[in-house]
Amino acid sequence: AALGLYFPRKEYLENVYIDEPAGMPLLRIHALKDSHEEVAHFHLCQNLIISRARSHENNWFQIREKTGLLYLSKSLEREDFNMLSVGNGMPLSKVMLYVFLSSHPFQEKECDSATRTTVFLSLINATAPACSSLTARQLCFTEMDLSFHIKENKPPGTFHQLQLPSVHHLCQNLSISYKLLAAEGVPFRYNENTTSVRVTQRLDREERERYELIAKCTVREGFREMQVEVPFLVNVLDEDDSPPFLPNGTDTADAVVEFNRKEGTVLSTLTVYDADTTPIYPLESSRRKYTGAIITDDPWISETFRVEHIFDEIHFSPNGSQVRGTRHEY
């Protein structure tokens, strides 16, 4: 069966400092389902990619198979840092991990599944900074944009957790709370107890292609209070689920041909709209999806006339929000 589970983000970023303790939670990765009965299992493949050419066995990072929580299984020491940063004396080394997704428990060596996301870890040659020295922005959000891709027509589910596991673990004397600011009726819910965000219903890209919300975070330390807000964006991914339509309902066009028409003269046109897809590249694949034909038994007509197909992106505005589609002209 086709693997329906998918990641709502293409990549995740996190910082790892020297001497953070084993068991330290780093970040939580989420998966969304294609059908209600699926259960997500997460798996790390056992290599860290240090630079394009080199990789190293991963001795430091593990993921909880059922919850997607990535954590330190072994403290990263200075010697480890020197080895992983290829001894280049830099204060920071970037490594890459792949997280794989399956709807059943992973078998060994099953690291060629198509469904994966990339985790970029910045290894920092310093111990973790004191919580009091961090800005509200650093305490509340990582450096990655809060930008997600959710497929249309799929079941509801949790796709993000606002609280940073590492900050929550290290800065327990701070109170950090979140709110998700959104217009009435948007299909997203924030749960204060778990700080998780879920999509509450199936989405329809032909109704709305993009949601723009705001995540607001409040940090309290004694009597001091700091607030920070960042954009929280959800893009709806298309599934080819709506048929093309004709603006005036007619799917044929008559052409009257007079004598002495020059080659290249346009004799008649027919327009077809598709709210579903936008012009895909390479363009040939958009062309192959729709064909225009002259219906005739006369070989002379077939040799003398041809149908040209051009298409471009247009915008529809259902419910006042802009949705991309395609106009085909024959």
Side-chain angles (χ1 to χ4, degrees):
L3 187 65
L5 292 161
Y6 68 98
F7 291 105
R9 291 186 67 92
K10 293 194 174 63
E11 55 188 49
Y12 292 81
L13 314 173
E14 194 46 74
N15 295 334
V16 181
Y17 294 90
I18 282 179
D19 296 336
E20 288 183 309
M24 166 89 175
L26 296 174
L27 67 95
R28 190 180 288 278
I29 290 172
H30 290 85
L32 285 170
K33 302 178 181 188
D34 196 54
S35 61
H36 280 292
E37 48 287 351
E38 283 178 318
V39 179
H41 297 267
F42 299 90
H43 182 66
L44 270 188
C45 282
Q46 282 309 310
N47 266 346
L48 281 178
I49 296 148
I50 302 172
S51 61
R52 286 201 182 134
R54 298 186 60 231
S55 70
H56 191 286
E57 193 178 345
N58 166 27
N59 303 317
W60 301 273
F61 306 102
Q62 272 307 328
I63 195 162
R64 298 215 188 286
E65 185 182 335
K66 293 204 165 115
T67 62
L69 183 71
L70 185 76
Y71 64 96
L72 267 177
S73 53
K74 174 180 178 294
S75 181
L76 182 79
E77 285 149 17
R78 209 164 289 272
E79 304 77 77
D80 302 332
F81 177 86
N82 292 338
M83 180 173 61
L84 292 172
S85 65
V86 205
N88 59 12
M90 298 292 275
L92 181 146
S93 171
K94 269 206 167 26
V95 298
M96 213 163 82
L97 274 174
Y98 291 125
V99 176
F100 291 80
L101 191 52
S102 171
S103 51
H104 55 81
F106 270 85
Q107 315 305 315
E108 271 312 294
K109 298 276 184 288
E110 194 178 6
C111 285
D112 49 359
S113 130
T115 311
R116 71 177 193 192
T117 190
T118 310
V119 178
F120 291 97
L121 298 169
S122 295
L123 310 183
I124 296 167
N125 192 8
T127 52
C131 296
S132 56
S133 70
L134 296 172
T135 63
R137 177 79 173 76
Q138 291 167 314
L139 288 164
C140 293
F141 302 107
T142 59
E143 288 144 42
M144 53 187 176
D145 295 340
L146 293 183
S147 173
F148 307 91
H149 301 275
I150 297 181
K151 294 181 180 178
E152 67 171 337
N153 307 323
K154 303 299 179 203
T158 297
F159 63 94
H160 184 62
Q161 183 183 20
L162 283 167
Q163 168 190 288
L164 306 180
S166 54
V167 170
H168 183 65
H169 187 77
L170 293 172
C171 306
Q172 290 175 348
N173 60 341
L174 291 181
S175 151
I176 302 174
S177 60
Y178 296 89
K179 272 200 170 79
L180 195 60
L181 310 179
E184 271 299 297
V186 299
F188 305 102
R189 282 291 162 279
Y190 170 64
N191 179 329
E192 263 178 44
N193 301 325
T194 58
T195 77
S196 59
V197 184
R198 65 183 274 112
V199 54
T200 56
Q201 65 189 56
R202 292 171 184 261
L203 303 180
D204 181 354
R205 192 201 72 92
E206 286 73 63
E207 287 294 317
R208 188 155 174 186
E209 192 167 17
R210 186 178 166 88
Y211 294 88
E212 300 183 14
L213 299 83
I214 288 171
K216 177 181 178 177
C217 175
T218 305
V219 180
R220 289 184 191 83
E221 185 181 13
F223 296 111
R224 215 156 63 100
E225 186 176 292
M226 301 177 285
Q227 292 189 331
V228 59
E229 295 183 357
V230 299
F232 188 104
L233 307 174
V234 178
N235 294 292
V236 186
L237 294 181
D238 193 53
E239 199 177 50
D240 203 354
D241 63 336
S242 320
F245 62 95
L246 300 141
N248 54 7
T250 170
D251 64 353
T252 51
D254 294 330
V256 176
V257 187
E258 296 172 358
F259 283 106
N260 297 334
R261 295 285 97 175
K262 285 199 172 66
E263 188 178 331
T265 301
V266 176
L267 302 169
S268 79
T269 59
L270 183 65
T271 302
V272 181
Y273 288 118
D274 189 345
D276 208 23
T277 51
T278 54
I280 352 168
Y281 297 90
L283 288 174
E284 276 318 303
S285 53
S286 270
R287 274 217 173 80
R288 277 198 300 273
K289 192 171 167 190
Y290 297 99
T291 54
I294 300 171
I295 300 166
T296 178
D297 299 334
D298 185 333
W300 177 79
I301 290 180
S302 306
E303 285 161 21
T304 313
F305 302 96
R306 71 163 186 266
V307 177
E308 290 219 337
H309 176 197
I310 55 171
F311 51 89
D312 54 358
E313 186 174 291
I314 54 165
H315 289 95
F316 298 96
S317 297
N319 312 328
S321 75
Q322 280 213 331
V323 171
R324 292 171 306 146
T326 313
R327 175 175 52 211
H328 297 266
E329 299 260 15
Y330 295 94

